[in-house]
Amino acid sequence: MTDYYEMEQEARYEQFREELVADALKDISRNQIHAYLFYYGDAIETRIRESIETAKELRTTGFWGPSLVSSSIAIELTVRFFILTPLVQGMFINEEWADILTRHIVSGHTAKDKEVVLRVLKAWDVDLGQIRLPSGGSLWQCLTGVIWPTRNKHVHGGVVVSDDVSLSAVEAASLLVDLAEEVLKKASGLRKHGGTWGNPECGRSPFT
């Protein structure tokens, strides 16, 4: 009887210990993401949304190729600086190792970004394969099958870009940054105040 009681108590203690460790790790993760957004969030989001606005203006004046390029810039900035960097850093306790891994992932190789971003977002219950554009198409299929390939062909081969593609790119860029913002709010517990992530006096830019 005593052995059974002791085993039951030990099992309860072990469960409690595991829950305590999990909660501690979650707090550490949240704090790292929170700090990243506090310092860099405003500079990153401003540059992304400015690129989207530029893409919209170029599209309305018939410059569909440059519009696509500007939307692609917004998309890549969102993937690298507004999804991968904060969320990957938030998964690690050691800041030095987090920095090394983040640099490896966001080193500029878009192919690597494609492989990782789906898994990172799934960790926060977001399935990019299920997200739809306002026009009805799949966001992820549009990114991988239309936007990035067409952008590369336009930049490197002078391929003419259609209005439909430039519109899809604007929609995809806008949807992706809004999606990233909601995930980061959930991951960090941080809420924007007056349209900003942190104190403007403490803001920094990851681009300089």
Side-chain angles (χ1 to χ4, degrees):
M1 185 71 176
T2 301
D3 290 342
Y4 174 78
Y5 176 76
E6 289 179 353
M7 289 175 61
E8 185 179 21
Q9 289 294 99
E10 185 176 343
R12 288 181 178 178
Y13 171 76
E14 184 64 22
Q15 181 181 359
F16 172 75
R17 188 185 69 82
E18 290 178 358
E19 291 175 354
L20 194 65
V21 171
D23 289 342
L25 290 174
K26 187 181 296 183
D27 288 340
I28 292 171
S29 172
R30 183 181 295 111
N31 290 339
Q32 286 185 299
I33 300 171
H34 186 122
Y36 178 89
L37 291 172
F38 181 82
Y39 288 115
Y40 301 118
D42 293 330
I44 294 169
E45 187 170 1
T46 295
R47 182 164 294 191
I48 292 169
R49 296 197 182 277
E50 284 179 350
S51 293
I52 294 173
E53 289 305 310
T54 299
K56 290 179 179 178
E57 293 174 4
L58 288 167
R59 180 179 168 269
T60 58
T61 52
F63 293 97
W64 302 326
S67 174
L68 171 61
V69 172
S70 190
S71 292
S72 298
I73 291 171
I75 291 167
E76 292 189 12
L77 290 177
T78 300
V79 169
R80 291 175 183 164
F81 293 99
F82 221 37
I83 295 177
L84 290 182
T85 300
L87 295 181
V88 169
Q89 281 189 185
M91 294 177 183
F92 293 86
I93 300 176
N94 186 292
E95 185 176 349
E96 182 179 354
W97 278 104
D99 184 57
I100 292 171
L101 182 58
T102 300
R103 288 186 184 185
H104 175 72
I105 292 174
V106 301
S107 60
H109 302 293
T110 305
K112 285 192 176 73
D113 293 349
K114 293 176 187 177
E115 296 171 4
V116 177
V117 67
L118 286 173
R119 296 182 183 181
V120 170
L121 286 178
K122 277 188 177 180
W124 295 98
D125 301 320
V126 175
D127 186 353
L128 274 184
Q130 300 300 317
I131 306 297
R132 314 294 293 184
L133 293 170
S135 56
S138 165
L139 170 61
W140 188 244
Q141 288 181 1
C142 185
L143 286 172
T144 58
V146 178
I147 294 173
W148 283 325
T150 306
R151 177 262 179 196
N152 291 338
K153 291 176 183 177
H154 173 72
V155 171
H156 301 296
V159 170
V160 176
V161 177
S162 69
D163 184 20
D164 289 342
V165 171
S166 68
L167 173 59
S168 294
V170 168
E171 290 182 344
S174 301
L175 182 57
L176 192 63
V177 69
D178 288 342
L179 180 66
E181 182 176 325
E182 291 305 311
V183 170
L184 289 173
K185 286 178 181 178
K186 177 181 177 181
S188 66
L190 186 63
R191 292 292 180 267
K192 295 170 72 174
H193 298 284
T196 63
W197 290 101
N199 186 333
E201 296 180 359
C202 301
R204 304 172 188 173
S205 173
F207 307 113
T208 57

mmCIF file of all heavy atoms in Angstrom, residues 44-72:
data_model
loop_
_atom_site.group_PDB
_atom_site.id
_atom_site.type_symbol
_atom_site.label_atom_id
_atom_site.label_comp_id
_atom_site.label_asym_id
_atom_site.label_seq_id
_atom_site.Cartn_x
_atom_site.Cartn_y
_atom_site.Cartn_z
ATOM 1 N N ILE A 44 10.624 47.219 -38.858
ATOM 2 C CA ILE A 44 10.344 46.140 -39.804
ATOM 3 C C ILE A 44 8.986 46.325 -40.453
ATOM 4 O O ILE A 44 8.859 46.284 -41.686
ATOM 5 C CB ILE A 44 10.411 44.776 -39.086
ATOM 6 C CG1 ILE A 44 11.831 44.491 -38.612
ATOM 7 C CG2 ILE A 44 9.928 43.665 -40.021
ATOM 8 C CD1 ILE A 44 11.928 43.316 -37.669
ATOM 9 N N GLU A 45 7.965 46.527 -39.631
ATOM 10 C CA GLU A 45 6.614 46.636 -40.188
ATOM 11 C C GLU A 45 6.464 47.860 -41.078
ATOM 12 O O GLU A 45 5.788 47.815 -42.113
ATOM 13 C CB GLU A 45 5.574 46.664 -39.071
ATOM 14 C CG GLU A 45 4.160 46.596 -39.604
ATOM 15 C CD GLU A 45 3.109 46.386 -38.537
ATOM 16 O OE1 GLU A 45 3.469 46.300 -37.347
ATOM 17 O OE2 GLU A 45 1.916 46.305 -38.901
ATOM 18 N N THR A 46 7.107 48.969 -40.698
ATOM 19 C CA THR A 46 7.042 50.181 -41.514
ATOM 20 C C THR A 46 7.611 49.931 -42.900
ATOM 21 O O THR A 46 7.002 50.306 -43.916
ATOM 22 C CB THR A 46 7.808 51.330 -40.833
ATOM 23 O OG1 THR A 46 7.156 51.666 -39.606
ATOM 24 C CG2 THR A 46 7.835 52.564 -41.742
ATOM 25 N N ARG A 47 8.769 49.289 -42.957
ATOM 26 C CA ARG A 47 9.384 49.036 -44.267
ATOM 27 C C ARG A 47 8.533 48.089 -45.101
ATOM 28 O O ARG A 47 8.380 48.267 -46.313
ATOM 29 C CB ARG A 47 10.797 48.474 -44.097
ATOM 30 C CG ARG A 47 11.500 48.241 -45.416
ATOM 31 C CD ARG A 47 12.990 48.062 -45.277
ATOM 32 N NE ARG A 47 13.653 49.271 -44.817
ATOM 33 C CZ ARG A 47 14.987 49.434 -44.817
ATOM 34 N NH1 ARG A 47 15.765 48.456 -45.259
ATOM 35 N NH2 ARG A 47 15.530 50.549 -44.389
ATOM 36 N N ILE A 48 7.955 47.067 -44.464
ATOM 37 C CA ILE A 48 7.105 46.118 -45.194
ATOM 38 C C ILE A 48 5.893 46.819 -45.779
ATOM 39 O O ILE A 48 5.575 46.678 -46.966
ATOM 40 C CB ILE A 48 6.656 44.972 -44.265
ATOM 41 C CG1 ILE A 48 7.853 44.089 -43.889
ATOM 42 C CG2 ILE A 48 5.568 44.127 -44.940
ATOM 43 C CD1 ILE A 48 7.558 43.103 -42.782
ATOM 44 N N ARG A 49 5.205 47.582 -44.951
ATOM 45 C CA ARG A 49 3.965 48.224 -45.411
ATOM 46 C C ARG A 49 4.242 49.337 -46.416
ATOM 47 O O ARG A 49 3.418 49.595 -47.300
ATOM 48 C CB ARG A 49 3.157 48.722 -44.209
ATOM 49 C CG ARG A 49 2.681 47.567 -43.319
ATOM 50 C CD ARG A 49 1.556 47.961 -42.382
ATOM 51 N NE ARG A 49 1.158 46.851 -41.526
ATOM 52 C CZ ARG A 49 0.319 45.876 -41.874
ATOM 53 N NH1 ARG A 49 -0.213 45.879 -43.082
ATOM 54 N NH2 ARG A 49 0.002 44.915 -41.025
ATOM 55 N N GLU A 50 5.381 49.985 -46.320
ATOM 56 C CA GLU A 50 5.763 50.976 -47.338
ATOM 57 C C GLU A 50 5.993 50.298 -48.680
ATOM 58 O O GLU A 50 5.621 50.843 -49.732
ATOM 59 C CB GLU A 50 7.019 51.724 -46.893
ATOM 60 C CG GLU A 50 6.765 52.768 -45.814
ATOM 61 C CD GLU A 50 8.036 53.479 -45.369
ATOM 62 O OE1 GLU A 50 9.136 53.021 -45.771
ATOM 63 O OE2 GLU A 50 7.935 54.477 -44.627
ATOM 64 N N SER A 51 6.589 49.122 -48.666
ATOM 65 C CA SER A 51 6.804 48.373 -49.913
ATOM 66 C C SER A 51 5.476 47.963 -50.528
ATOM 67 O O SER A 51 5.321 48.000 -51.761
ATOM 68 C CB SER A 51 7.666 47.128 -49.636
ATOM 69 O OG SER A 51 8.971 47.496 -49.263
ATOM 70 N N ILE A 52 4.518 47.593 -49.698
ATOM 71 C CA ILE A 52 3.193 47.213 -50.204
ATOM 72 C C ILE A 52 2.488 48.413 -50.820
ATOM 73 O O ILE A 52 1.880 48.309 -51.891
ATOM 74 C CB ILE A 52 2.342 46.599 -49.071
ATOM 75 C CG1 ILE A 52 2.944 45.269 -48.615
ATOM 76 C CG2 ILE A 52 0.895 46.389 -49.535
ATOM 77 C CD1 ILE A 52 2.264 44.672 -47.390
ATOM 78 N N GLU A 53 2.570 49.566 -50.154
ATOM 79 C CA GLU A 53 1.943 50.776 -50.691
ATOM 80 C C GLU A 53 2.586 51.175 -52.018
ATOM 81 O O GLU A 53 1.887 51.603 -52.950
ATOM 82 C CB GLU A 53 2.040 51.919 -49.681
ATOM 83 C CG GLU A 53 1.149 51.750 -48.467
ATOM 84 C CD GLU A 53 -0.309 51.533 -48.844
ATOM 85 O OE1 GLU A 53 -0.840 52.333 -49.657
ATOM 86 O OE2 GLU A 53 -0.921 50.569 -48.343
ATOM 87 N N THR A 54 3.899 51.039 -52.109
ATOM 88 C CA THR A 54 4.590 51.323 -53.369
ATOM 89 C C THR A 54 4.109 50.386 -54.465
ATOM 90 O O THR A 54 3.878 50.803 -55.611
ATOM 91 C CB THR A 54 6.112 51.178 -53.193
ATOM 92 O OG1 THR A 54 6.568 52.121 -52.215
ATOM 93 C CG2 THR A 54 6.839 51.426 -54.511
ATOM 94 N N ALA A 55 3.936 49.109 -54.114
ATOM 95 C CA ALA A 55 3.445 48.122 -55.089
ATOM 96 C C ALA A 55 2.046 48.485 -55.575
ATOM 97 O O ALA A 55 1.745 48.357 -56.770
ATOM 98 C CB ALA A 55 3.446 46.732 -54.458
ATOM 99 N N LYS A 56 1.201 48.944 -54.682
ATOM 100 C CA LYS A 56 -0.162 49.349 -55.059
ATOM 101 C C LYS A 56 -0.137 50.536 -56.023
ATOM 102 O O LYS A 56 -0.867 50.558 -57.022
ATOM 103 C CB LYS A 56 -0.971 49.705 -53.807
ATOM 104 C CG LYS A 56 -1.317 48.522 -52.923
ATOM 105 C CD LYS A 56 -2.090 48.985 -51.692
ATOM 106 C CE LYS A 56 -2.466 47.816 -50.792
ATOM 107 N NZ LYS A 56 -3.175 48.261 -49.576
ATOM 108 N N GLU A 57 0.686 51.524 -55.701
ATOM 109 C CA GLU A 57 0.775 52.710 -56.557
ATOM 110 C C GLU A 57 1.308 52.363 -57.943
ATOM 111 O O GLU A 57 0.804 52.858 -58.965
ATOM 112 C CB GLU A 57 1.669 53.754 -55.881
ATOM 113 C CG GLU A 57 1.084 54.336 -54.597
ATOM 114 C CD GLU A 57 2.052 55.255 -53.889
ATOM 115 O OE1 GLU A 57 3.159 55.495 -54.440
ATOM 116 O OE2 GLU A 57 1.739 55.706 -52.775
ATOM 117 N N LEU A 58 2.335 51.533 -57.993
ATOM 118 C CA LEU A 58 2.904 51.125 -59.282
ATOM 119 C C LEU A 58 1.889 50.341 -60.108
ATOM 120 O O LEU A 58 1.811 50.507 -61.327
ATOM 121 C CB LEU A 58 4.158 50.270 -59.048
ATOM 122 C CG LEU A 58 5.385 51.021 -58.534
ATOM 123 C CD1 LEU A 58 6.440 50.041 -58.035
ATOM 124 C CD2 LEU A 58 5.962 51.906 -59.642
ATOM 125 N N ARG A 59 1.105 49.519 -59.442
ATOM 126 C CA ARG A 59 0.115 48.722 -60.162
ATOM 127 C C ARG A 59 -0.966 49.604 -60.785
ATOM 128 O O ARG A 59 -1.378 49.402 -61.931
ATOM 129 C CB ARG A 59 -0.519 47.694 -59.225
ATOM 130 C CG ARG A 59 -1.554 46.834 -59.921
ATOM 131 C CD ARG A 59 -2.177 45.802 -59.011
ATOM 132 N NE ARG A 59 -3.335 45.265 -59.710
ATOM 133 C CZ ARG A 59 -4.556 45.755 -59.604
ATOM 134 N NH1 ARG A 59 -4.790 46.780 -58.798
ATOM 135 N NH2 ARG A 59 -5.559 45.235 -60.299
ATOM 136 N N THR A 60 -1.446 50.582 -60.025
ATOM 137 C CA THR A 60 -2.522 51.438 -60.531
ATOM 138 C C THR A 60 -2.070 52.286 -61.716
ATOM 139 O O THR A 60 -2.905 52.742 -62.511
ATOM 140 C CB THR A 60 -3.053 52.371 -59.425
ATOM 141 O OG1 THR A 60 -1.982 53.170 -58.914
ATOM 142 C CG2 THR A 60 -3.668 51.566 -58.292
ATOM 143 N N THR A 61 -0.759 52.504 -61.850
ATOM 144 C CA THR A 61 -0.244 53.294 -62.971
ATOM 145 C C THR A 61 0.260 52.413 -64.112
ATOM 146 O O THR A 61 0.856 52.910 -65.075
ATOM 147 C CB THR A 61 0.896 54.217 -62.500
ATOM 148 O OG1 THR A 61 1.882 53.449 -61.802
ATOM 149 C CG2 THR A 61 0.350 55.294 -61.574
ATOM 150 N N GLY A 62 0.030 51.097 -63.981
ATOM 151 C CA GLY A 62 0.353 50.186 -65.076
ATOM 152 C C GLY A 62 1.751 49.612 -65.061
ATOM 153 O O GLY A 62 2.141 48.910 -66.006
ATOM 154 N N PHE A 63 2.517 49.890 -64.006
ATOM 155 C CA PHE A 63 3.861 49.325 -63.906
ATOM 156 C C PHE A 63 3.788 48.002 -63.141
ATOM 157 O O PHE A 63 4.156 47.914 -61.975
ATOM 158 C CB PHE A 63 4.800 50.319 -63.207
ATOM 159 C CG PHE A 63 5.067 51.556 -64.006
ATOM 160 C CD1 PHE A 63 4.348 52.720 -63.769
ATOM 161 C CD2 PHE A 63 6.035 51.563 -65.013
ATOM 162 C CE1 PHE A 63 4.591 53.863 -64.507
ATOM 163 C CE2 PHE A 63 6.286 52.711 -65.750
ATOM 164 C CZ PHE A 63 5.550 53.860 -65.511
ATOM 165 N N TRP A 64 3.301 46.967 -63.807
ATOM 166 C CA TRP A 64 3.021 45.698 -63.144
ATOM 167 C C TRP A 64 4.286 44.951 -62.747
ATOM 168 O O TRP A 64 4.297 44.286 -61.708
ATOM 169 C CB TRP A 64 2.139 44.834 -64.047
ATOM 170 C CG TRP A 64 0.845 45.511 -64.397
ATOM 171 C CD1 TRP A 64 0.123 46.357 -63.603
ATOM 172 C CD2 TRP A 64 0.138 45.429 -65.633
ATOM 173 N NE1 TRP A 64 -0.993 46.814 -64.253
ATOM 174 C CE2 TRP A 64 -1.012 46.249 -65.512
ATOM 175 C CE3 TRP A 64 0.341 44.737 -66.837
ATOM 176 C CZ2 TRP A 64 -1.947 46.392 -66.542
ATOM 177 C CZ3 TRP A 64 -0.590 44.880 -67.859
ATOM 178 C CH2 TRP A 64 -1.711 45.702 -67.717
ATOM 179 N N GLY A 65 5.333 45.033 -63.536
ATOM 180 C CA GLY A 65 6.589 44.381 -63.188
ATOM 181 C C GLY A 65 7.211 44.963 -61.928
ATOM 182 O O GLY A 65 7.489 44.233 -60.966
ATOM 183 N N PRO A 66 7.450 46.275 -61.891
ATOM 184 C CA PRO A 66 7.979 46.886 -60.672
ATOM 185 C C PRO A 66 7.061 46.686 -59.459
ATOM 186 O O PRO A 66 7.539 46.558 -58.334
ATOM 187 C CB PRO A 66 8.086 48.374 -61.048
ATOM 188 C CG PRO A 66 8.310 48.354 -62.522
ATOM 189 C CD PRO A 66 7.460 47.222 -63.031
ATOM 190 N N SER A 67 5.756 46.663 -59.715
ATOM 191 C CA SER A 67 4.816 46.404 -58.625
ATOM 192 C C SER A 67 5.049 45.027 -58.033
ATOM 193 O O SER A 67 5.073 44.852 -56.808
ATOM 194 C CB SER A 67 3.375 46.512 -59.135
ATOM 195 O OG SER A 67 2.450 46.129 -58.119
ATOM 196 N N LEU A 68 5.239 44.036 -58.887
ATOM 197 C CA LEU A 68 5.513 42.678 -58.427
ATOM 198 C C LEU A 68 6.808 42.630 -57.622
ATOM 199 O O LEU A 68 6.872 41.969 -56.580
ATOM 200 C CB LEU A 68 5.612 41.723 -59.620
ATOM 201 C CG LEU A 68 6.099 40.306 -59.324
ATOM 202 C CD1 LEU A 68 5.161 39.590 -58.367
ATOM 203 C CD2 LEU A 68 6.266 39.514 -60.615
ATOM 204 N N VAL A 69 7.837 43.323 -58.092
ATOM 205 C CA VAL A 69 9.115 43.339 -57.389
ATOM 206 C C VAL A 69 8.943 43.942 -55.994
ATOM 207 O O VAL A 69 9.465 43.413 -54.997
ATOM 208 C CB VAL A 69 10.174 44.119 -58.181
ATOM 209 C CG1 VAL A 69 11.448 44.303 -57.353
ATOM 210 C CG2 VAL A 69 10.496 43.400 -59.485
ATOM 211 N N SER A 70 8.197 45.030 -55.901
ATOM 212 C CA SER A 70 7.990 45.684 -54.608
ATOM 213 C C SER A 70 7.188 44.790 -53.662
ATOM 214 O O SER A 70 7.483 44.714 -52.464
ATOM 215 C CB SER A 70 7.270 47.023 -54.807
ATOM 216 O OG SER A 70 7.255 47.781 -53.617
ATOM 217 N N SER A 71 6.172 44.108 -54.184
ATOM 218 C CA SER A 71 5.410 43.167 -53.357
ATOM 219 C C SER A 71 6.295 42.022 -52.888
ATOM 220 O O SER A 71 6.193 41.565 -51.742
ATOM 221 C CB SER A 71 4.225 42.596 -54.146
ATOM 222 O OG SER A 71 3.255 43.575 -54.410
ATOM 223 N N SER A 72 7.175 41.546 -53.765
ATOM 224 C CA SER A 72 8.083 40.456 -53.412
ATOM 225 C C SER A 72 9.035 40.861 -52.305
ATOM 226 O O SER A 72 9.373 40.059 -51.423
ATOM 227 C CB SER A 72 8.881 40.005 -54.642
ATOM 228 O OG SER A 72 8.026 39.497 -55.642
#
